[in-house]
Amino acid sequence: MKFGIKQLASETIIYGFSTIIGRFINWLLIPTLYVRTNAIDENGALGQILAFMAILLVLFTFGLETGFFRFSREGKQNDVFKTSVLLLTITSSLLIIFTFLFVPSLNNILADGKYLHSLYLAGIIIAIDAFLSIPFANLRLKNKAVKFATIKLINIGLLIFFNFLFLLIIPAIISKYQLSNKFVLLYNSYDNIFYIFLSNLIATISMIFFFIKDLRNIKGNFDFQIAKSMFKYCLPILIVGLTGMINQNSDRLMMPTLTESGGLTKTGLYTINFKIGVLMSLFTQAFRYAFEPYFFKIREKGKEGYAKIMEYFIFAGMLIFLGVTLFMDIINIIITDKYSDGNIIIPFILIGFLFYGIYYNLSLWYKLTDKTIWAIYFGVTGMIISIALNIILVPRIGIIGAALALFFGYFVMVIFSYLRGQKVFYVPYNLKRIGLYFVIGFIIYFIDKQIFIDILLLKYLIKIFFLAIYFVVFMKIEKLLLFNK
C-alpha cells in the first residue's frame, strides 16, 4: 500500500498493544476495583487529583517530545537527545522542590483537603513521568516499538499488582487473621487514595531502570542554541497541549465548586462514566505515537496518504463509539448500578475524544510548516469554550453539561484548524466520505436505542450484526477486500 500506511498500521498495533491494551487493563482498575473499594466521593477526589496531574504533566513535559522529533531530523541527533534530557532533568527537579513547598497550600483547594500525602506522591510521579518522556520518544524515533511496548506493559503489570496488594490482599489478610500490630496500625493510618498513588509511584520508578544504560552512555553535548530553538518551537505546542488538557480535565476540577451540594459525589459519578469514554482517548493516543514520527518523515509527499489515514482513523473511532454504546448494559455490570445514572455522558465523551483525535490529525499542517503559533489560537479558543460552558451548564444540567462542554471545545478546534490548515498546507480530505462514516454510525446508534428485546442472545446478535454492517459498508466504500489477493 502507498504512503507507508502499512508500516504506520503495524506500528500503531504494537504501540496500541502497550498503550490501548495496557492502559485498558489499567483503566479497568477504576470501573472494577476502585468502584468496589472506594466510596463515590473518594472516586470523585481521585478524579479531581488525576485531572490536576494530567495538566501538570503537560506543563512540565513542555512539548519536548514533538520538538525532539522535529530537530532530530536535521542532524545532531545525539546533541538533541542530550539537550532534551538535561532540560527535563532540570524541570523535573524543580517540580519535586515545588511539590514539597506548595502541596500543603494546594491541599486546601483540592479534594476537600483530605489527601495531603497523596498529593506529595502525585508530584513525584509527574516529575518522573515528565523526565522519561524523552527516553520513550527516542525509542519511537528509532522504531523500537517492541521495547517501548515491553516497558509500558511491565509498568502496567506492576501498577495492577500493587493496587491489588494494597487495596485487597493486605486488608483481606488483616481481616482474616484479626491482626493488630505496628504494621497494621501504620497501614490503617493511610486511606485507599494514598495506596493508589503509592502503587503508581512504585510502577513509575520501575521504568527508570530500563533506561539507565542509555542515560549513562548519552553521546553528544548540551547545545544552548538547540535548546533555545526547541523552546521557541515547543512553546506553542506546550500551550495547545496545556489548553487541551484543561479542556479535557477542567470539568472534574471545577465540578465540586459548581454544584451546590455533594460536589465530590457528583464528580465521582462523572469520573467513573468519563473513564468509559476515555477508551476513545486511548485509541487516539496509540495512533499518535505512530503518526507523529510518520508525518515528519513523509512531509509533502504524503498528502494523499494523510487524507486516507484520516478516513481510516474516523472509521476506527466510530467503530469504537458503536462498540461501547451498543453494549452499554455490559459496561454497567463492570461499573455497578450505582454509577449507571451517569451513562448519559458517555456518547458525548466518546465523540468529544474522537474530535480531539481528528484535531491531532489536522495539526500536521502547522507542525510541518513551523507555524505552531496557530496551535495557541486553537487551543486557547477550545479552552475558553470548554471552561465557559462548564460554568454555564454544570450548575443548570449537571454532569451532562460537563460532557457537552468537552465536546464543543474540541469540535470548534477541529473546525478552525481545518479551515486555516487547508489554506496553508492543503490536504485532499474527502469530506463527503468522512461525513458518511459519521452519519451511518449515528443512524446505527439511534436505531439500536429504539430496539428493546428481552431475549439476550437475540439482543446481542442484533448488536453484533449492526457492527458488522458498519464494517462492511466501510469496506465497500473504500473498495477494499477483506483478504488481499
PDB file of all heavy atoms in Angstrom, residues 38-61:
ATOM      1  N   ASN A  38     -13.682   1.932  46.952  1.00  0.00           N
ATOM      2  CA  ASN A  38     -13.765   3.342  47.335  1.00  0.00           C
ATOM      3  C   ASN A  38     -15.214   3.801  47.368  1.00  0.00           C
ATOM      4  O   ASN A  38     -16.054   3.315  46.606  1.00  0.00           O
ATOM      5  CB  ASN A  38     -13.005   4.236  46.352  1.00  0.00           C
ATOM      6  CG  ASN A  38     -11.540   3.860  46.230  1.00  0.00           C
ATOM      7  OD1 ASN A  38     -10.994   3.179  47.090  1.00  0.00           O
ATOM      8  ND2 ASN A  38     -10.909   4.303  45.154  1.00  0.00           N
ATOM      9  N   ALA A  39     -15.484   4.778  48.229  1.00  0.00           N
ATOM     10  CA  ALA A  39     -16.790   5.438  48.201  1.00  0.00           C
ATOM     11  C   ALA A  39     -16.860   6.344  46.975  1.00  0.00           C
ATOM     12  O   ALA A  39     -15.839   6.692  46.381  1.00  0.00           O
ATOM     13  CB  ALA A  39     -16.986   6.258  49.474  1.00  0.00           C
ATOM     14  N   ILE A  40     -18.081   6.740  46.584  1.00  0.00           N
ATOM     15  CA  ILE A  40     -18.247   7.566  45.389  1.00  0.00           C
ATOM     16  C   ILE A  40     -17.500   8.888  45.530  1.00  0.00           C
ATOM     17  O   ILE A  40     -16.850   9.354  44.596  1.00  0.00           O
ATOM     18  CB  ILE A  40     -19.742   7.826  45.101  1.00  0.00           C
ATOM     19  CG1 ILE A  40     -20.453   6.513  44.809  1.00  0.00           C
ATOM     20  CG2 ILE A  40     -19.906   8.779  43.916  1.00  0.00           C
ATOM     21  CD1 ILE A  40     -21.946   6.665  44.512  1.00  0.00           C
ATOM     22  N   ASP A  41     -17.558   9.495  46.729  1.00  0.00           N
ATOM     23  CA  ASP A  41     -16.862  10.771  46.898  1.00  0.00           C
ATOM     24  C   ASP A  41     -15.342  10.589  46.871  1.00  0.00           C
ATOM     25  O   ASP A  41     -14.618  11.490  46.441  1.00  0.00           O
ATOM     26  CB  ASP A  41     -17.306  11.463  48.189  1.00  0.00           C
ATOM     27  CG  ASP A  41     -16.962  10.660  49.442  1.00  0.00           C
ATOM     28  OD1 ASP A  41     -16.940   9.412  49.347  1.00  0.00           O
ATOM     29  OD2 ASP A  41     -16.713  11.263  50.491  1.00  0.00           O
ATOM     30  N   GLU A  42     -14.844   9.417  47.300  1.00  0.00           N
ATOM     31  CA  GLU A  42     -13.409   9.153  47.192  1.00  0.00           C
ATOM     32  C   GLU A  42     -12.988   9.071  45.726  1.00  0.00           C
ATOM     33  O   GLU A  42     -11.925   9.581  45.344  1.00  0.00           O
ATOM     34  CB  GLU A  42     -13.057   7.844  47.901  1.00  0.00           C
ATOM     35  CG  GLU A  42     -13.031   7.948  49.416  1.00  0.00           C
ATOM     36  CD  GLU A  42     -12.603   6.653  50.072  1.00  0.00           C
ATOM     37  OE1 GLU A  42     -13.114   5.592  49.680  1.00  0.00           O
ATOM     38  OE2 GLU A  42     -11.742   6.702  50.980  1.00  0.00           O
ATOM     39  N   ASN A  43     -13.823   8.425  44.903  1.00  0.00           N
ATOM     40  CA  ASN A  43     -13.520   8.380  43.474  1.00  0.00           C
ATOM     41  C   ASN A  43     -13.624   9.765  42.853  1.00  0.00           C
ATOM     42  O   ASN A  43     -12.943  10.062  41.865  1.00  0.00           O
ATOM     43  CB  ASN A  43     -14.455   7.394  42.767  1.00  0.00           C
ATOM     44  CG  ASN A  43     -14.036   5.949  42.986  1.00  0.00           C
ATOM     45  OD1 ASN A  43     -12.847   5.645  43.051  1.00  0.00           O
ATOM     46  ND2 ASN A  43     -15.001   5.061  43.118  1.00  0.00           N
ATOM     47  N   GLY A  44     -14.478  10.607  43.423  1.00  0.00           N
ATOM     48  CA  GLY A  44     -14.535  11.994  42.967  1.00  0.00           C
ATOM     49  C   GLY A  44     -13.243  12.726  43.281  1.00  0.00           C
ATOM     50  O   GLY A  44     -12.707  13.467  42.445  1.00  0.00           O
ATOM     51  N   ALA A  45     -12.723  12.518  44.492  1.00  0.00           N
ATOM     52  CA  ALA A  45     -11.445  13.131  44.870  1.00  0.00           C
ATOM     53  C   ALA A  45     -10.317  12.603  44.000  1.00  0.00           C
ATOM     54  O   ALA A  45      -9.447  13.361  43.545  1.00  0.00           O
ATOM     55  CB  ALA A  45     -11.154  12.845  46.344  1.00  0.00           C
ATOM     56  N   LEU A  46     -10.321  11.297  43.747  1.00  0.00           N
ATOM     57  CA  LEU A  46      -9.309  10.693  42.887  1.00  0.00           C
ATOM     58  C   LEU A  46      -9.366  11.299  41.492  1.00  0.00           C
ATOM     59  O   LEU A  46      -8.326  11.652  40.907  1.00  0.00           O
ATOM     60  CB  LEU A  46      -9.528   9.180  42.815  1.00  0.00           C
ATOM     61  CG  LEU A  46      -8.596   8.401  41.888  1.00  0.00           C
ATOM     62  CD1 LEU A  46      -7.156   8.522  42.362  1.00  0.00           C
ATOM     63  CD2 LEU A  46      -9.021   6.927  41.833  1.00  0.00           C
ATOM     64  N   GLY A  47     -10.573  11.442  40.964  1.00  0.00           N
ATOM     65  CA  GLY A  47     -10.725  12.034  39.634  1.00  0.00           C
ATOM     66  C   GLY A  47     -10.223  13.461  39.578  1.00  0.00           C
ATOM     67  O   GLY A  47      -9.594  13.863  38.594  1.00  0.00           O
ATOM     68  N   GLN A  48     -10.468  14.221  40.631  1.00  0.00           N
ATOM     69  CA  GLN A  48     -10.016  15.612  40.651  1.00  0.00           C
ATOM     70  C   GLN A  48      -8.494  15.707  40.709  1.00  0.00           C
ATOM     71  O   GLN A  48      -7.882  16.508  39.990  1.00  0.00           O
ATOM     72  CB  GLN A  48     -10.635  16.338  41.848  1.00  0.00           C
ATOM     73  CG  GLN A  48     -10.471  17.839  41.783  1.00  0.00           C
ATOM     74  CD  GLN A  48     -11.090  18.544  42.979  1.00  0.00           C
ATOM     75  OE1 GLN A  48     -10.995  18.066  44.096  1.00  0.00           O
ATOM     76  NE2 GLN A  48     -11.712  19.694  42.741  1.00  0.00           N
ATOM     77  N   ILE A  49      -7.870  14.870  41.528  1.00  0.00           N
ATOM     78  CA  ILE A  49      -6.408  14.894  41.629  1.00  0.00           C
ATOM     79  C   ILE A  49      -5.772  14.430  40.322  1.00  0.00           C
ATOM     80  O   ILE A  49      -4.791  15.016  39.842  1.00  0.00           O
ATOM     81  CB  ILE A  49      -5.933  14.024  42.803  1.00  0.00           C
ATOM     82  CG1 ILE A  49      -6.426  14.597  44.130  1.00  0.00           C
ATOM     83  CG2 ILE A  49      -4.408  13.941  42.817  1.00  0.00           C
ATOM     84  CD1 ILE A  49      -6.164  13.706  45.334  1.00  0.00           C
ATOM     85  N   LEU A  50      -6.311  13.374  39.719  1.00  0.00           N
ATOM     86  CA  LEU A  50      -5.769  12.882  38.450  1.00  0.00           C
ATOM     87  C   LEU A  50      -5.909  13.929  37.345  1.00  0.00           C
ATOM     88  O   LEU A  50      -5.033  14.050  36.476  1.00  0.00           O
ATOM     89  CB  LEU A  50      -6.474  11.586  38.040  1.00  0.00           C
ATOM     90  CG  LEU A  50      -6.159  10.349  38.893  1.00  0.00           C
ATOM     91  CD1 LEU A  50      -7.018   9.173  38.445  1.00  0.00           C
ATOM     92  CD2 LEU A  50      -4.681   9.989  38.816  1.00  0.00           C
ATOM     93  N   ALA A  51      -6.999  14.682  37.368  1.00  0.00           N
ATOM     94  CA  ALA A  51      -7.184  15.746  36.380  1.00  0.00           C
ATOM     95  C   ALA A  51      -6.113  16.819  36.541  1.00  0.00           C
ATOM     96  O   ALA A  51      -5.547  17.303  35.554  1.00  0.00           O
ATOM     97  CB  ALA A  51      -8.578  16.357  36.533  1.00  0.00           C
ATOM     98  N   PHE A  52      -5.830  17.173  37.780  1.00  0.00           N
ATOM     99  CA  PHE A  52      -4.780  18.171  38.051  1.00  0.00           C
ATOM    100  C   PHE A  52      -3.418  17.650  37.621  1.00  0.00           C
ATOM    101  O   PHE A  52      -2.600  18.383  37.045  1.00  0.00           O
ATOM    102  CB  PHE A  52      -4.787  18.514  39.545  1.00  0.00           C
ATOM    103  CG  PHE A  52      -3.869  19.636  39.913  1.00  0.00           C
ATOM    104  CD1 PHE A  52      -4.144  20.939  39.524  1.00  0.00           C
ATOM    105  CD2 PHE A  52      -2.715  19.394  40.653  1.00  0.00           C
ATOM    106  CE1 PHE A  52      -3.294  21.983  39.860  1.00  0.00           C
ATOM    107  CE2 PHE A  52      -1.861  20.435  40.999  1.00  0.00           C
ATOM    108  CZ  PHE A  52      -2.154  21.725  40.599  1.00  0.00           C
ATOM    109  N   MET A  53      -3.159  16.358  37.846  1.00  0.00           N
ATOM    110  CA  MET A  53      -1.896  15.748  37.442  1.00  0.00           C
ATOM    111  C   MET A  53      -1.716  15.766  35.932  1.00  0.00           C
ATOM    112  O   MET A  53      -0.611  16.004  35.424  1.00  0.00           O
ATOM    113  CB  MET A  53      -1.827  14.302  37.947  1.00  0.00           C
ATOM    114  CG  MET A  53      -1.632  14.164  39.440  1.00  0.00           C
ATOM    115  SD  MET A  53      -1.648  12.426  39.956  1.00  0.00           S
ATOM    116  CE  MET A  53      -0.147  11.815  39.165  1.00  0.00           C
ATOM    117  N   ALA A  54      -2.789  15.499  35.202  1.00  0.00           N
ATOM    118  CA  ALA A  54      -2.703  15.477  33.738  1.00  0.00           C
ATOM    119  C   ALA A  54      -2.277  16.836  33.195  1.00  0.00           C
ATOM    120  O   ALA A  54      -1.478  16.927  32.254  1.00  0.00           O
ATOM    121  CB  ALA A  54      -4.057  15.074  33.147  1.00  0.00           C
ATOM    122  N   ILE A  55      -2.789  17.902  33.796  1.00  0.00           N
ATOM    123  CA  ILE A  55      -2.425  19.250  33.364  1.00  0.00           C
ATOM    124  C   ILE A  55      -0.961  19.542  33.685  1.00  0.00           C
ATOM    125  O   ILE A  55      -0.214  20.066  32.858  1.00  0.00           O
ATOM    126  CB  ILE A  55      -3.351  20.288  34.023  1.00  0.00           C
ATOM    127  CG1 ILE A  55      -4.792  20.096  33.513  1.00  0.00           C
ATOM    128  CG2 ILE A  55      -2.871  21.706  33.746  1.00  0.00           C
ATOM    129  CD1 ILE A  55      -5.831  20.923  34.255  1.00  0.00           C
ATOM    130  N   LEU A  56      -0.536  19.176  34.885  1.00  0.00           N
ATOM    131  CA  LEU A  56       0.858  19.421  35.276  1.00  0.00           C
ATOM    132  C   LEU A  56       1.843  18.621  34.432  1.00  0.00           C
ATOM    133  O   LEU A  56       2.935  19.099  34.119  1.00  0.00           O
ATOM    134  CB  LEU A  56       1.057  19.080  36.752  1.00  0.00           C
ATOM    135  CG  LEU A  56       0.551  20.089  37.784  1.00  0.00           C
ATOM    136  CD1 LEU A  56       0.928  19.631  39.186  1.00  0.00           C
ATOM    137  CD2 LEU A  56       1.119  21.486  37.521  1.00  0.00           C
ATOM    138  N   LEU A  57       1.464  17.400  34.047  1.00  0.00           N
ATOM    139  CA  LEU A  57       2.368  16.585  33.231  1.00  0.00           C
ATOM    140  C   LEU A  57       2.643  17.246  31.890  1.00  0.00           C
ATOM    141  O   LEU A  57       3.785  17.268  31.419  1.00  0.00           O
ATOM    142  CB  LEU A  57       1.771  15.188  33.024  1.00  0.00           C
ATOM    143  CG  LEU A  57       2.628  14.220  32.203  1.00  0.00           C
ATOM    144  CD1 LEU A  57       3.982  14.005  32.863  1.00  0.00           C
ATOM    145  CD2 LEU A  57       1.902  12.889  32.014  1.00  0.00           C
ATOM    146  N   VAL A  58       1.604  17.800  31.279  1.00  0.00           N
ATOM    147  CA  VAL A  58       1.798  18.513  30.015  1.00  0.00           C
ATOM    148  C   VAL A  58       2.682  19.731  30.224  1.00  0.00           C
ATOM    149  O   VAL A  58       3.583  20.004  29.427  1.00  0.00           O
ATOM    150  CB  VAL A  58       0.431  18.943  29.429  1.00  0.00           C
ATOM    151  CG1 VAL A  58       0.627  19.853  28.224  1.00  0.00           C
ATOM    152  CG2 VAL A  58      -0.376  17.716  29.032  1.00  0.00           C
ATOM    153  N   LEU A  59       2.452  20.448  31.312  1.00  0.00           N
ATOM    154  CA  LEU A  59       3.231  21.654  31.592  1.00  0.00           C
ATOM    155  C   LEU A  59       4.710  21.339  31.740  1.00  0.00           C
ATOM    156  O   LEU A  59       5.568  22.028  31.164  1.00  0.00           O
ATOM    157  CB  LEU A  59       2.701  22.324  32.862  1.00  0.00           C
ATOM    158  CG  LEU A  59       3.440  23.581  33.334  1.00  0.00           C
ATOM    159  CD1 LEU A  59       3.331  24.687  32.291  1.00  0.00           C
ATOM    160  CD2 LEU A  59       2.882  24.053  34.675  1.00  0.00           C
ATOM    161  N   PHE A  60       5.046  20.281  32.478  1.00  0.00           N
ATOM    162  CA  PHE A  60       6.452  20.001  32.770  1.00  0.00           C
ATOM    163  C   PHE A  60       7.123  19.125  31.711  1.00  0.00           C
ATOM    164  O   PHE A  60       8.336  18.943  31.754  1.00  0.00           O
ATOM    165  CB  PHE A  60       6.586  19.382  34.164  1.00  0.00           C
ATOM    166  CG  PHE A  60       6.511  20.402  35.262  1.00  0.00           C
ATOM    167  CD1 PHE A  60       5.286  20.775  35.806  1.00  0.00           C
ATOM    168  CD2 PHE A  60       7.653  21.025  35.720  1.00  0.00           C
ATOM    169  CE1 PHE A  60       5.213  21.735  36.807  1.00  0.00           C
ATOM    170  CE2 PHE A  60       7.593  21.987  36.721  1.00  0.00           C
ATOM    171  CZ  PHE A  60       6.372  22.350  37.261  1.00  0.00           C
ATOM    172  N   THR A  61       6.354  18.595  30.766  1.00  0.00           N
ATOM    173  CA  THR A  61       6.962  17.921  29.608  1.00  0.00           C
ATOM    174  C   THR A  61       7.321  18.949  28.546  1.00  0.00           C
ATOM    175  O   THR A  61       8.211  18.727  27.725  1.00  0.00           O
ATOM    176  CB  THR A  61       6.000  16.861  29.030  1.00  0.00           C
ATOM    177  OG1 THR A  61       5.615  15.971  30.068  1.00  0.00           O
ATOM    178  CG2 THR A  61       6.664  16.058  27.933  1.00  0.00           C
TER     179      THR A  61
END
